[in-house]
Amino acid sequence: MSTTDATKDAKATGNLADALTHGAALLEQSPRHAAEQAKAILAAIPGQRDARVLLAAATRRQGDARGALDHLQQMIAEDAGWAGAHYEMGLALGALGEGKEAVRSLERALSLDPDLASAWRALGDQLTMAGDEAGADRAYMRHIKTAAKDPRLLEAADALAGNDIPVAERLLKSYLKQHPTDVAAIRMLAELAARIGRYQDAEHLLWRCLELAPSFTAARHNLAIIELRLGKAEEAYSEAETLLKTDPKNPNYRTLYSSALVRVGEYEKAIESYGSLLREYPKQPKAWMSYGHALKTVGRTPESVDAYKKSLDLQPSLGEAYWSLANLKIFRFEPADIAAMKAQLQRGDIDDDDRLHLHFALGKALEDAKEYEESFLHYEQGNAIRQKQIVYDEDEMAVRLDRSKAVLSPALLAAKAGRGCEKSDPIFIVGMPRAGSTLLEQILSSHSQVEGTMELPDIIAIAKRLGGKAKRSEESRYPEIIAELSDDQLNALGEEYLERTRIQRKTDKPFFIDKMPNNFMHVGLIHLILPNAKIIDARRHPMACCFSGFKQHFAKGQGFSYGLERIGRYYRDYVLLMKHFDEVAPGVVHRVIYEEMVADPETRIKAMLEHCGLPFEEACLNFHQTERAVRTASSEQVRQPIYKGGVDQWVNYKPWLSELEAALGDVLTSYPDAP
């Protein structure tokens, strides 16, 4: 379309409103033609405000954000109260990677026009990039509210924005009874479900949104995030790819895509994706931190340190970046770093998440400095904050494990023996976190027939689905439902597990490792659906293991670890469940005692390989030379030979661990045997 054609078109529309509407439509399909339309309007009506904003938007959409910014600065110099110009300036600044300035421009636009719905959405996007999830949620809720037309939806959006979940849920369900295909309302209900942890409900609602409106990108973006939270890495990756096809330059989609790449084990691609993103948007502290995580996973430690430090340069209060440095285990803080962390803790404006990460990082820094009492106080404070954030019931966990013991009888196991999927691909490493499972994985992954993956969530997801529990108040049907599973169902569940985990396998090696430690709770299910899979129990001295867990801040889950009595009781329950399984299914689980592995690695490695039906290979002894991605807190330690000095580090803290000793009871005194 030529400029002349655009001029004719503008005249043909008959009025200015039609010409502007046509230009806005062209903006999505062809920014170049939208720019020509805007220029045609301006030729007819010089200085027309909406046409000037349209021209700036079209200039930005054509990749010239700097040129758009020049136009917008002139417009705002002429009229500082021009909301549309401030909004478009926010978008241009965002495209240039100037996140803080973009947020300021968008907030200025909204102060001038609070009903500018698209500006609330853009503000949410920028706050997401900055890592301000709470602020982003508030902005997105205001977007929904300002975009909604029906008074009942406005009322529901108000309730949701105020976190009044019961009122919002009642209003939305009532509205959807009359308007079951309103995708905006369905998405709001999905947002509500996600807020209260009902991720499967949120997932189903978002599927319904996309079934009704396949181009509803906001719902697809929400769905990809929910899929990641549900551990459905492959599905999240697929949704992120779809989003990028609609808007390849969108930084939020690119961040999501990078995260999904990590989850499916494509670390090099993730590093490339994060690197590309950060070259264009370098002022994103949390993106630098995620980049550091990916670099750490593949063993590029110096670069990961640089990435973490870059995130701290941008946001000195970012406690998680300090903890990420501490979590490298081999990194040592300087006195200036310790002083900087303490200074951040003195601030009154940092949130609990930053505060708890700073406490854990300081605990590690002071432990390395041999300041054990002060170190313990910081570990204790970090645990106390985290304990308030999570829901965990020690008694409920004990009951769950007792129910498992009741279900897993010799009669049941005998009746269903060999009925599951006969494939022998998986090697499960179970037990407690910080018990040496990463070391065992690294040893086994050094074998020519074995591929290491990561802590896979799939067995837990299958068990949760079998339980059918939608709310915490409901009683799960798991593990009792195991007794009701038919031979076909057992086989299908085994096949499902293999299919779900296929994306994590990058080679044609016959065996792969799933080192999710919490799978010890599901050894019965594993054995029944995959009777030929191998199971290894990684066990470490109770005091060493539990204290190591206490001073470790986990990215998610492991609620049992935040408290000395909590983790002691959990360790005890774990030992007693495994003892029960040894009695009802002798020989199925091979136990590796960490201290014995450290003292005599060759003997213990040969025994472990024999259990797995694998011949001994020298590479398993030289496991630290194996190059592979390692996704746990021990990633740097397993890239070194076995270190004997770490066995008794807990002794430095013995004066403060009486609560842990009491909780462990005879599990401690009888170790390495079960009481």
Side-chain angles (χ1 to χ4, degrees), residues 141 144-161 164-182 184-186 188-189 192:
M141 290 306 2
I144 291 172
K145 178 183 174 183
T146 51
K149 303 300 181 186
D150 190 291
R152 290 168 296 177
L153 271 190
L154 283 170
E155 189 181 356
D158 266 337
L160 199 52
D164 191 343
I165 300 299
V167 170
E169 185 169 23
R170 174 174 54 79
L171 290 168
L172 286 168
K173 287 184 174 178
S174 173
Y175 178 84
L176 283 166
K177 282 182 181 177
Q178 298 174 39
H179 307 279
T181 59
D182 188 318
I186 297 170
M188 287 171 68
L189 191 58
L192 184 151

Side-chain angles (χ1 to χ4, degrees), residues 528-578:
L528 290 173
I529 68 174
L530 291 159
N532 295 315
K534 300 298 186 288
I535 305 173
I536 298 168
D537 176 16
R539 189 167 299 181
R540 185 180 176 191
H541 187 281
M543 294 296 288
C545 183
C546 291
F547 183 64
S548 185
F550 176 78
K551 66 181 187 175
Q552 177 74 34
H553 176 57
F554 296 94
K556 63 179 180 178
Q558 317 301 25
F560 61 84
S561 70
Y562 297 100
L564 291 172
E565 182 185 6
R566 269 188 186 188
I567 197 166
R569 286 186 60 179
Y570 186 86
Y571 186 104
R572 178 181 174 79
D573 290 338
Y574 141 70
V575 168
L576 295 179
L577 177 62
M578 296 306 292

Side-chain angles (χ1 to χ4, degrees), residues 91-404:
L91 297 182
L93 287 164
L96 291 167
E98 302 289 343
K100 288 183 180 179
E101 292 80 359
V103 167
R104 279 196 286 268
S105 288
L106 292 166
E107 288 176 339
R108 176 65 177 149
L110 289 163
S111 71
L112 294 164
D113 183 1
D115 294 327
L116 196 56
S118 53
W120 284 113
R121 185 185 63 229
L123 179 60
D125 290 345
Q126 287 299 323
L127 292 172
T128 298
M129 283 290 291
D132 183 358
E133 294 180 9
D137 283 346
R138 289 191 294 271
Y140 287 136
M141 290 306 2
R142 286 296 299 270
H143 168 250
I144 291 172
K145 178 183 174 183
T146 51
K149 303 300 181 186
D150 190 291
R152 290 168 296 177
L153 271 190
L154 283 170
E155 189 181 356
D158 266 337
L160 199 52
N163 210 35
D164 191 343
I165 300 299
V167 170
E169 185 169 23
R170 174 174 54 79
L171 290 168
L172 286 168
K173 287 184 174 178
S174 173
Y175 178 84
L176 283 166
K177 282 182 181 177
Q178 298 174 39
H179 307 279
T181 59
D182 188 318
V183 290
I186 297 170
R187 181 182 170 227
M188 287 171 68
L189 191 58
E191 162 67 20
L192 184 151
R195 282 201 197 180
I196 57 177
R198 284 160 39 188
Y199 296 127
Q200 288 180 318
D201 289 347
E203 179 188 38
H204 293 144
L205 288 163
L206 292 166
W207 280 343
R208 178 60 175 156
C209 274
L210 293 170
E211 181 182 299
L212 293 166
S215 61
F216 192 1
T217 54
R220 192 174 299 282
H221 189 215
N222 293 151
L223 177 61
I225 292 169
I226 292 297
E227 301 284 26
L228 283 178
R229 290 178 181 172
L230 285 169
K232 295 185 174 182
E234 188 170 9
E235 291 88 339
Y237 172 72
S238 175
E239 299 297 350
E241 277 196 315
T242 301
L243 287 166
L244 278 175
K245 288 174 184 174
T246 66
D247 188 356
K249 300 295 288 182
N250 186 301
N252 286 301
Y253 297 169
R254 290 163 71 186
T255 301
L256 179 66
Y257 177 67
S258 302
S259 180
L261 283 169
V262 168
R263 294 291 190 91
V264 298
E266 295 288 354
Y267 303 108
E268 294 297 344
K269 288 183 181 178
I271 288 167
E272 182 181 347
S273 181
Y274 276 126
S276 171
L277 177 68
L278 287 164
R279 281 191 292 275
E280 294 178 46
Y281 300 91
K283 296 183 180 181
Q284 309 300 333
K286 291 206 171 180
W288 278 105
M289 190 170 62
S290 296
Y291 184 44
H293 295 338
L295 290 165
K296 168 195 168 184
T297 300
V298 299
R300 291 163 62 176
T301 305
E303 292 170 85
S304 72
V305 169
D306 289 343
Y308 294 143
K309 287 184 175 180
K310 178 67 173 176
S311 68
L312 287 168
D313 289 341
L314 293 166
Q315 187 178 331
S317 64
L318 188 55
E320 190 177 351
Y322 276 115
W323 170 244
S324 298
L325 288 168
N327 206 28
L328 288 170
K329 307 306 180 189
I330 61 171
F331 180 83
R332 295 294 178 264
F333 289 106
E334 298 294 333
D337 299 320
I338 294 174
M341 286 188 275
K342 288 182 176 180
Q344 292 299 323
L345 280 174
Q346 294 304 311
R347 292 172 53 174
D349 61 342
I350 64 170
D351 63 23
D352 280 350
D353 196 54
D354 284 323
R355 197 170 292 279
L356 76 87
H357 280 105
L358 285 164
H359 279 304
F360 277 104
L362 271 168
K364 176 62 167 63
L366 293 164
E367 179 178 2
D368 292 337
K370 297 183 168 50
E371 299 287 345
Y372 298 118
E373 184 171 6
E374 188 181 356
S375 165
F376 180 79
L377 289 173
H378 282 290
Y379 284 138
E380 190 173 47
Q381 289 175 83
N383 273 274
I385 295 171
R386 185 61 178 148
Q387 199 174 99
K388 291 176 183 176
Q389 294 178 335
I390 56 178
V391 178
Y392 179 78
D393 187 327
E394 296 96 319
D395 294 330
E396 180 187 336
M397 178 59 68
V399 168
R400 280 175 60 189
L401 298 185
D402 283 343
R403 287 169 61 191
S404 291

